[in-house]
Amino acid sequence: MSTLTGDGQQNGSIKNVDSINNGHELEEYDFSRFIDRPRLLNLERQRSCDERSLNDLPVGFSPHPSSRADNFYRAFENSDSLYSPGIRSGCNTPLSHFGYAMASDPHPMIAEAWDDLRRSLVYFRGQPVGTIAALDNSDEKLNYDQVFVRDFVPSALAFLMNGEPEVVKNFLLKTLRLQGWEKKIDRFQLGEGVMPASFKVLHDPIRNTETLMADFGESAIGRVAPVDSGFWWIILLRAYTKSTGDTSLAEMPECQKGMRLILSLCLSEGFDTFPTLLCADGCSMIDRRMGVYGYPIEIQALFFMSLRCAMLLLKHDAPGKELIERIVKRLHALSYHIRNYFWLDFKQLNDIYRYKTEEYSHTAVNKFNVMPDSLPEWVMDFMPVHGGYFIGNIGPSHMDFRWFCLGNCIAILSSLATQEQSAAIMDLIESRWEELVGDMPLKVCYPAIENHEWRIVTGCDPKNTRWSYHNGGSWPVLLWLLTAACIKTGRPQIARRAIELAETRLSKDGWPEYYDGKLGRYIGKQARKHQTWSVAGYLVAKMMLEDPSHLGMIAIEEDKQLKPVLRRSSSWTA
């Protein structure tokens, strides 16, 4: 891990400087003009922000709390603008003494959650720049005292929904500065567009300095660079822009360049015959070896969503237009590939069961040469007649049939999943509630791998034992993703049921990072308490369920031009 000291000297191999020494700031980029600028909340400014206001929604949208979620979905569904998310959200939310606007009496957990979230704030130069991963008082903090890009997303959404965007702006600008560092690990230079996995603020009271220390993977477990950090950064930039109506941040030349660098890494041409991204184990939320090497659905869904967000944010100047053309081509190919080859429902499962192998030429039905004998027994019983999901991975002679929560939820929110597929995913969750939700929402993946397979796939990882951590553990942070997906598909009752389930234990247990066991009954054996994204995920879920218009900052409606005719069968016609 490389550090930057107050006098501008570098320890390690990552160049650049971002520190304060006796009150003197370095004159590289003057970001203070953006941090200090007041928020723009007038309606015309918001209308220029790739969206329509609530007043533009179709007739029949009712803001009444009892019906707003169901009507919101219908309004959202009918929005047909290619680049418009269809609804603005969050910027005029009134604050209460609980730090949260509620039409009814707030749950007592909300005040506690806001207190934890505010205590997790990290400051640099007197400005809040993010939240630490956990308020952990144990001796072995590891990297839980750092600001992670992916971990900060639910915290950022909570602050945006509560009308407090400054910390989000500061975070976006700070991580943008970190992206500009020269990243060299073991004499090998990483791509220019790589965003850090995390950063930490080091305080030196003697020298009166504050120093940033960033991790681009050189200190991570397994030494894997984060693929998802850049995607989350773009998604968060779009959420900030939608929430505030302030387009000046995204229009900064530095932000435009930052997006171009991230996307250029992903859109580069190579030997791959698939439009999906080839990724290593440990490059995402599942940051340890879990057999997701190849084309994990989480990364593909985030990739798709970041491409669509970039389409809304990139300027139509010369470099922007060139990149937009490449994005459009990739979106068409990516949506077709994922919707056809990653999708699994009852009919498709039966087709795989009857596959012929060793087929050759472009007319082959079994394009990936998947052996029917490789079908795991559990998936035959797990698949309901009505329902479906995007499998975890697919490649030559390989299909990872595991269900991954984040990838499927992001597929719904980004409209990578068609409306029919989105409905089928929710059908699956309802049909398999005990397996996927159990006593504590929500399984990060299902099922767990165990015995000899666990030894081979995880490398005997003691943290990823069966039904623990990333191996079938239950993660409360996923509540916000489930809630957003439920609202977008018109199923708010599912989210309400999951939130009420979490409220029975989450606070009493000290806001753990994850839960163990087949039903999620036990606090994770190595779970940190007061995990910030567990706290923020709960707050975002509650605020979104109370005011579904907040969904607009994190969801994008379906692009009719990206809707190919699916060749795969669909469970909803069964």
Side-chain angles (χ1 to χ4, degrees):
M1 194 174 294
S2 301
T3 63
L4 297 176
T5 60
D7 55 7
Q9 294 181 343
Q10 174 192 334
N11 295 329
S13 57
I14 297 178
K15 298 178 181 178
N16 211 322
V17 59
D18 206 338
S19 61
I20 181 170
N21 189 3
N22 296 324
H24 298 292
E25 298 186 7
L26 295 168
E27 298 180 358
E28 186 173 355
Y29 296 124
D30 181 15
F31 288 140
S32 61
R33 66 185 188 275
F34 296 101
I35 295 175
D36 296 332
R37 182 176 297 171
R39 288 190 295 131
L40 301 175
L41 295 178
N42 65 78
L43 182 59
E44 291 305 314
R45 188 66 169 173
Q46 291 172 358
R47 284 182 181 274
S48 69
C49 174
D50 77 271
E51 60 190 342
R52 297 177 299 169
S53 73
L54 285 170
N55 294 327
D56 295 324
L57 288 172
V59 176
F61 179 85
S62 170
H64 192 277
S66 62
S67 60
R68 69 167 51 135
D70 293 333
N71 287 323
F72 171 80
Y73 170 69
R74 288 190 286 273
F76 194 94
E77 181 182 32
N78 292 330
S79 179
D80 57 2
S81 172
L82 174 60
Y83 303 126
S84 170
I87 192 168
R88 69 180 170 88
S89 59
C91 51
N92 291 322
T93 305
L95 303 178
S96 71
H97 65 283
F98 288 103
Y100 172 54
M102 290 284 289
S104 57
D105 292 335
H107 193 284
M109 280 174 57
I110 293 174
E112 178 188 343
W114 272 110
D115 182 60
D116 268 14
L117 184 59
R118 297 193 191 286
R119 287 194 297 121
S120 71
L121 282 168
V122 173
Y123 291 82
F124 184 76
R125 301 179 180 176
Q127 297 271 5
V129 293
T131 53
I132 59 174
L135 292 167
D136 186 11
N137 296 321
S138 66
D139 293 334
E140 296 182 2
K141 286 185 172 58
L142 294 176
N143 53 4
Y144 284 84
D145 61 347
Q146 299 188 26
V147 180
F148 280 82
V149 173
R150 78 173 66 95
D151 290 39
F152 180 65
V153 171
S155 297
L157 294 177
F159 285 119
L160 287 174
M161 291 177 185
N162 203 48
E164 302 177 64
E166 293 307 312
V167 61
V168 183
K169 177 185 281 190
N170 296 342
F171 170 85
L172 290 167
L173 291 172
K174 192 55 58 185
T175 45
L176 183 65
R177 288 282 297 272
L178 299 177
Q179 183 199 38
W181 293 4
E182 180 181 296
K183 301 168 279 286
K184 188 176 291 184
I185 300 173
D186 291 338
R187 303 183 181 182
F188 181 75
Q189 187 163 316
L190 276 67
E192 190 178 358
V194 173
M195 279 285 185
S198 64
F199 66 87
K200 183 177 181 179
V201 179
L202 299 178
H203 303 271
D204 186 343
I206 298 177
R207 298 176 57 191
N208 191 28
T209 62
E210 287 184 337
T211 305
L212 281 184
M213 181 169 62
D215 179 14
F216 291 89
E218 74 273 22
S219 298
I221 295 173
R223 300 302 187 265
V224 178
V227 174
D228 60 342
S229 289
F231 298 152
W232 280 122
W233 189 88
I234 293 175
I235 292 167
L236 187 56
L237 177 61
R238 184 243 179 195
Y240 170 86
T241 307
K242 279 190 61 65
S243 176
T244 63
D246 180 5
T247 61
S248 62
L249 179 62
E251 291 171 354
M252 284 177 54
E254 295 83 5
C255 279
Q256 293 288 311
K257 179 182 178 182
M259 282 189 286
R260 292 197 300 268
L261 289 175
I262 293 169
L263 297 176
S264 294
L265 276 178
C266 309
L267 298 173
S268 59
E269 297 175 346
F271 289 97
D272 211 325
T273 58
F274 309 140
T276 41
L277 283 181
L278 182 64
C279 301
D281 263 321
C283 67
S284 61
M285 175 184 173
I286 299 179
D287 56 5
R288 297 163 79 96
R289 181 175 167 186
M290 266 292 291
V292 297
Y293 174 83
Y295 307 94
I297 185 61
E298 174 181 335
I299 291 298
Q300 312 315 319
L302 286 171
F303 179 33
F304 182 88
M305 189 167 192
S306 66
L307 289 177
R308 295 208 62 195
C309 289
M311 290 277 291
L312 308 173
L313 298 170
L314 285 169
K315 288 184 176 181
H316 287 251
D317 52 13
K321 283 184 178 179
E322 180 183 356
L323 188 57
I324 287 173
E325 290 177 1
R326 296 168 64 189
I327 289 174
V328 170
K329 291 180 182 179
R330 191 61 166 264
L331 281 172
H332 279 278
L334 186 61
S335 61
Y336 180 87
H337 185 90
I338 298 293
R339 290 171 177 177
N340 280 281
Y341 301 121
F342 277 69
W343 181 251
L344 189 70
D345 57 22
F346 185 82
K347 180 65 165 60
Q348 176 61 14
L349 183 59
N350 205 153
D351 290 345
I352 296 172
Y353 180 71
R354 292 168 51 83
Y355 264 168
K356 294 179 181 179
T357 59
E358 305 301 326
E359 292 183 295
Y360 180 75
S361 89
H362 65 278
T363 61
V365 175
N366 185 3
K367 295 184 181 296
F368 296 92
N369 200 37
V370 174
M371 307 298 168
D373 288 345
S374 68
L375 277 168
E377 291 184 9
W378 67 265
V379 76
M380 308 296 285
D381 297 326
F382 178 72
M383 180 62 68
V385 174
H386 297 281
Y389 65 102
F390 292 108
I391 62 173
N393 214 324
I394 188 169
S397 296
H398 169 66
M399 294 183 78
D400 183 350
F401 291 94
R402 285 177 294 176
W403 177 88
F404 287 86
C405 179
L406 194 150
N408 277 272
C409 286
I410 291 293
I412 292 174
L413 296 178
S414 64
S415 291
L416 171 58
T418 64
Q419 291 181 11
E420 296 83 1
Q421 288 173 333
S422 297
I425 293 171
M426 302 312 298
D427 287 342
L428 177 85
I429 293 174
E430 285 193 290
S431 298
R432 296 292 176 255
W433 186 265
E434 286 299 307
E435 292 92 336
L436 303 180
V437 181
D439 289 349
M440 177 57 66
L442 186 65
K443 289 295 181 193
V444 66
C445 71
Y446 181 89
I449 52 179
E450 45 192 325
N451 302 323
H452 181 66
E453 185 184 11
W454 166 78
R455 296 185 184 93
I456 298 299
V457 171
T458 72
C460 299
D461 186 353
K463 196 167 186 177
N464 271 330
T465 53
R466 63 177 184 171
W467 308 114
S468 180
Y469 202 47
H470 294 310
N471 189 13
S474 299
W475 292 70
V477 64
L478 298 172
L479 267 176
W480 80 265
L481 283 160
L482 175 66
T483 301
C486 288
I487 295 172
K488 189 169 186 287
T489 54
R491 312 268 189 105
Q493 70 280 2
I494 299 178
R496 190 173 296 111
R497 181 182 175 191
I499 292 171
E500 289 173 355
L501 192 62
E503 286 176 338
T504 62
R505 289 190 56 190
L506 198 52
S507 174
K508 295 177 183 177
D509 293 340
W511 307 92
E513 179 184 16
Y514 63 94
Y515 285 77
D516 285 352
K518 234 178 180 181
L519 298 178
R521 295 177 60 190
Y522 306 98
I523 298 175
K525 58 185 174 183
Q526 295 187 42
R528 294 303 196 272
K529 296 290 188 74
H530 297 280
Q531 186 80 14
T532 303
W533 70 355
S534 295
V535 171
Y538 167 75
L539 285 173
V540 171
K542 290 286 284 188
M543 285 190 280
M544 203 176 296
L545 196 60
E546 173 65 23
D547 182 0
S549 70
H550 287 310
L551 178 66
M553 72 172 74
I554 198 63
I556 305 177
E557 84 277 12
E558 189 169 19
D559 175 1
K560 300 301 188 293
Q561 298 185 32
L562 294 177
K563 189 174 183 180
V565 177
L566 297 183
R567 295 180 297 100
R568 300 297 186 191
S569 59
S570 302
S571 65
W572 49 89
T573 61

